[in-house]
Amino acid sequence: DFAITVITAFLWLVSTAAWAKALADIKMSTGASIITGIEFCKAPETTCHFASVTSMRTLNVSVVFGLLNMVLWAGNAWFVYKDTNLHN
């Protein structure tokens, strides 16, 4: 049980870090800076404006809940460790 709990906590940490990195990439790819990379916007007599991006609050909250879930599993690992023969 202890090994499975530790592995699960570690996997939550890794998956949350991967999701946070992907979310940062999504924000960078959909931000106002993409206008300078669009060839059509570089044409003469063409004006491109950045209007808005959908709110990403819920995605940020999902990263926070992922970290909180990892903390929960790590805390559970401590209690499982206390019940093993490894703890005297």
Side-chain angles (χ1 to χ4, degrees), residues 43-55:
E45 299 180 12
T46 303
T47 305
C48 295
H49 298 284
F50 185 77
S52 67
V53 173
T54 303
S55 174

Side-chain angles (χ1 to χ4, degrees), residues 4-17 19 60-78:
I4 291 171
T5 306
V6 169
I7 290 169
T8 304
F10 176 73
L11 289 177
W12 268 109
L13 176 65
V14 170
S15 63
T16 302
W19 174 235
N60 292 334
V61 169
S62 70
V63 172
V64 171
F65 277 123
L67 287 172
L68 290 175
N69 200 4
M70 188 277 307
V71 169
L72 180 71
W73 276 98
N76 287 338
W78 169 251

